[in-house]
Amino acid sequence: VAVFPNKGGRRSGIIPPAIAEDATHGRILRHLGYYWAINDYMDLKLQTDLYTKGSWALFSDYRYSLRYKFSGGLSGQYRKMIQGEEGDPERRKEVSYNVRASHRQEINPTMRFDVDFTFASNNSYQETIDMNQALRQEIYSNATISKSWEGTPNSMSVNVSRRQNLINGNISEVLPSISFNHSQSYPFRFGKKSYEDV
């Protein structure tokens, strides 16, 4: 990220925008914003897109990390896209949003917690000039806590998942699912005990 003042290291500052063109919404001032290096463990980026024909969008991205412990973030987008001129009977306004939360944490050497959830309006990937986002048809969200036991072939996980179809709006959820895994063991073999996945 290019920020001002232009000094070495990770510093807060203004994010300079880029100029782009869109046939429907007009000229764009893209990603004008501010980067805030809160401390050594977290930062926040706020940006906006401004269109000459009245559309606008806001973006936020909050991240945190403590090495070897946990990391994650919370990001979001809100768009108000306008098509058509003022006074045009076919003038149309579309509002869309997208929020994503993630967290990764090693609670101890045998237990881990992982979260990656996204909530979005069904039109959130249509009102974008990003081709990869525009082609996306489904959102899959997932949260898992997993536990293993040292010296044994046993492990367990608890999972919550959510799938959202952006084409028809259908949402399916699994609340929660529990799985227990026991690798195949050979207790009567001589020498070093070994385990094989079933």
Side-chain angles (χ1 to χ4, degrees), residues 66-82:
L66 183 60
R67 185 175 294 182
Y68 309 124
K69 294 293 184 180
F70 56 78
S71 65
L74 179 65
S75 61
Q77 301 179 14
Y78 182 89
R79 298 175 183 271
K80 184 174 183 180
M81 309 302 290
I82 301 172

Side-chain angles (χ1 to χ4, degrees), residues 50-65:
L50 301 173
Y51 299 76
T52 55
K53 293 186 178 181
S55 300
W56 54 271
L58 294 175
F59 309 89
S60 66
D61 188 14
Y62 167 70
R63 302 178 303 174
Y64 58 87
S65 179

Side-chain angles (χ1 to χ4, degrees), residues 40-56:
D40 291 339
Y41 310 105
M42 63 184 70
D43 58 24
L44 174 65
K45 182 166 61 176
L46 298 172
Q47 293 176 285
T48 184
D49 286 352
L50 301 173
Y51 299 76
T52 55
K53 293 186 178 181
S55 300
W56 54 271

